[in-house]
Amino acid sequence: MIDLRSDTVTKPDEAMREASRDADVGDDVYGEDPTVNELEAEAADLVGMEDALYVPTGTMGNQVAVRTHTDRGQEVLVERESHVYKWELGGLAQLSSLQVRTLDGGERGIPTPKQVRDGYVEEDGHRPGTGLLTLENSHNSKGGVAIDPTKIDAAAEAARDLGLPVHLDGARVFNAAVAHDVPPDRMTENVDSVMFCLSKGLGAPVGSMLAGSEAFVARARRNRKLFGGGMRQAGIIAAPGLLALQNVERLAEDHDNARVLAERLAGVDGLDVQDPETNIVLVNTESAGLTADEFLDACEEAGVLGTQFDTHVARFCTHWDVDSDDVEAAAERVGEALDWSN
C-alpha cells in the first residue's frame, strides 16, 4: 500500500528512535526537561522568535495561541478555508469563547490589507471588538499553496496598524519557505506568533511548536496546562523533534515528487489536477463521473491511499516515506483504478 493520505503518516527513522531511547529527561511542567528546553530554544531561533513552547499537536498549538492573544467574547479574523476555523472542531468558540469573522482569501487563501481593515470591529458598548488576525502558510485547503511572504507582511502590517496581534498557522511553513527559497524566519518576521508541526514533512513521530515573544510564551505555557498539554518527561518525544528540525531542506524532494505525481495523474482521463506548489496534490474527479469517495475507494483497491477534501476533490500528500518509484507506481495504480471503475 502506498500511503499518500498525509505527511503525518511517516514513521520515525532509526536515528529518531535512538534519540528517543537515549534522551536526557526531566519534568517539563517544572521546566526541567533538558531535551525539551533545547528543542524549544532551537525552534524559536529557526523561526526568528524569542521563545517557543513544545505542544503535543498543531491544533493545540493554534488554540493555545488564540487563547493567549485574545479576551473572551472578542472577534477573531480568519480566512474562511483556514485550518484553525474549518478543521479544529470549533475550538475558537469552544475553548476561547470567540466570535469568528471570516474573510475570503481567494484562490490563495490570503486576505488583503483592505479586507483586514474592513473586517476590523472597534470595541464599543454594543460590539465585542476584534482581538486577533490569523493567517495560514502553506494553505492546506487551497492545495498547499505557498503564500509569498510579502503577502503575509501586507496583511500583518494592516492588522498591526489596527493594534491587532497576528498568529500564523505555519503547520507546513517550512514547505512554504522551501518553495520560495527563503529562510524560515523570513516567513514569520512580521507575525507575533507561529505554530509549526514537527510531525508532518519533518518526520517526527509527534509534536508541534508554538513560538513568539518571551512574554507571549510564558502566558501560552499556562494555557497549554489549562488545555491538558502539560507533559512530564517529554524529552523522550522531543528528542526526535530536534532531529526533525534538520530535515527542512529535504522537503524539496517531497515537492519534486508531488510535481511528478501531478504530471502523471493529469495524463489520466477524467482527472483534473491542480499544479502543486509544495507537497499536496489536489485531484478533481467530477469529469470521471466519480465522487471523491468513490475514486478513493477504487484507489485503495489498487493499493493507493488518499483523503477526501470535497465532494469531487481528493488529496494526495507526498512525504519522506515515499520515494520517486512509489510516486510512479501510485500514478500507474490510480490509472488502473479508474479503468476498473469504468
Side-chain angles (χ1 to χ4, degrees):
M1 187 68 71
I2 300 173
D3 194 343
L4 299 173
R5 288 173 298 171
S6 177
D7 46 8
T8 61
V9 302
T10 57
K11 303 296 193 297
D13 60 15
E14 285 305 311
M16 288 185 177
R17 293 175 187 273
E18 291 174 6
S20 181
R21 181 195 64 199
D22 298 336
D24 191 9
V25 300
D27 192 321
D28 180 49
V29 171
Y30 291 120
E32 296 174 353
D33 191 299
T35 306
V36 172
N37 293 342
E38 182 182 358
L39 173 62
E40 290 175 341
E42 290 198 15
D45 184 64
L46 190 59
V47 293
M49 297 291 181
E50 292 179 354
D51 203 357
L53 180 68
Y54 186 46
V55 292
T57 70
T59 292
M60 179 179 282
N62 280 335
Q63 295 300 326
V64 166
V66 168
R67 179 65 182 266
T68 304
H69 281 303
T70 60
D71 295 325
R72 289 185 180 278
Q74 287 186 311
E75 286 196 353
V76 55
L77 297 176
V78 302
E79 203 281 322
R80 68 179 186 178
E81 295 291 325
S82 63
H83 193 282
V84 70
Y85 172 62
K86 189 175 180 181
W87 301 112
E88 297 186 11
L89 290 172
L92 300 174
Q94 294 203 71
L95 301 175
S96 297
S97 300
L98 296 174
Q99 181 166 294
V100 175
R101 185 177 294 269
T102 60
L103 307 176
D104 182 358
E107 292 184 358
R108 301 192 64 76
I110 177 68
T112 66
K114 183 178 185 303
Q115 286 177 305
V116 173
R117 290 191 292 268
D118 290 347
Y120 174 76
V121 173
E122 186 76 37
E123 178 182 350
D124 62 22
H126 304 280
R127 307 189 76 180
T130 306
L132 177 67
L133 169 68
T134 70
L135 303 172
E136 183 176 340
N137 199 14
S138 65
H139 198 297
N140 182 30
S141 290
K142 298 297 184 181
V145 297
I147 298 169
D148 190 301
T150 62
K151 300 295 185 182
I152 298 291
D153 295 344
E157 287 166 6
R160 187 166 292 110
D161 289 344
L162 296 166
L164 296 180
V166 181
H167 172 65
L168 178 66
D169 175 357
R172 296 183 176 92
V173 71
F174 299 120
N175 291 91
V178 168
H180 283 285
D181 194 25
V182 298
D185 58 3
R186 173 63 189 92
M187 310 302 287
T188 59
E189 65 182 33
N190 283 299
V191 300
D192 297 284
S193 61
V194 58
M195 183 283 296
F196 65 84
C197 292
L198 302 169
S199 57
K200 289 191 167 70
L202 301 185
V206 64
S208 294
M209 306 304 302
L210 175 60
S213 69
E214 289 183 2
F216 168 82
V217 171
R219 298 194 307 274
R221 194 174 297 274
R222 287 175 54 84
N223 286 324
R224 183 188 69 173
K225 176 72 170 179
L226 176 65
F227 289 176
M231 299 179 286
R232 301 300 178 174
Q233 288 72 35
I236 288 176
I237 53 174
L242 277 166
L243 296 180
L245 294 180
Q246 302 172 20
N247 291 334
V248 172
E249 291 185 3
R250 68 144 303 280
L251 294 173
E253 298 174 23
D254 296 342
H255 298 181
D256 290 341
N257 284 334
R259 283 189 287 271
V260 171
L261 179 63
E263 290 170 2
R264 300 294 185 271
L265 294 180
V268 177
D269 287 342
L271 299 184
D272 296 311
V273 184
Q274 179 175 309
D275 290 336
E277 297 181 16
T278 54
N279 66 323
I280 292 174
V281 178
L282 295 187
V283 179
N284 191 300
T285 63
E286 190 167 11
S287 296
L290 298 172
T291 65
D293 265 347
E294 293 167 337
F295 168 71
L296 290 169
D297 285 344
C299 289
E300 184 172 358
E301 286 290 323
V304 179
L305 295 177
T307 54
Q308 181 187 4
F309 245 41
D310 206 340
T311 304
H312 292 99
V313 179
R315 186 189 79 167
F316 296 111
C317 193
T318 56
H319 50 79
W320 78 342
D321 277 358
V322 294
D323 58 22
S324 57
D325 290 339
D326 293 323
V327 165
E328 294 283 359
E332 183 175 344
R333 293 180 189 181
V334 170
E336 292 172 353
L338 279 186
D339 288 339
W340 299 338
S341 63
N342 291 326

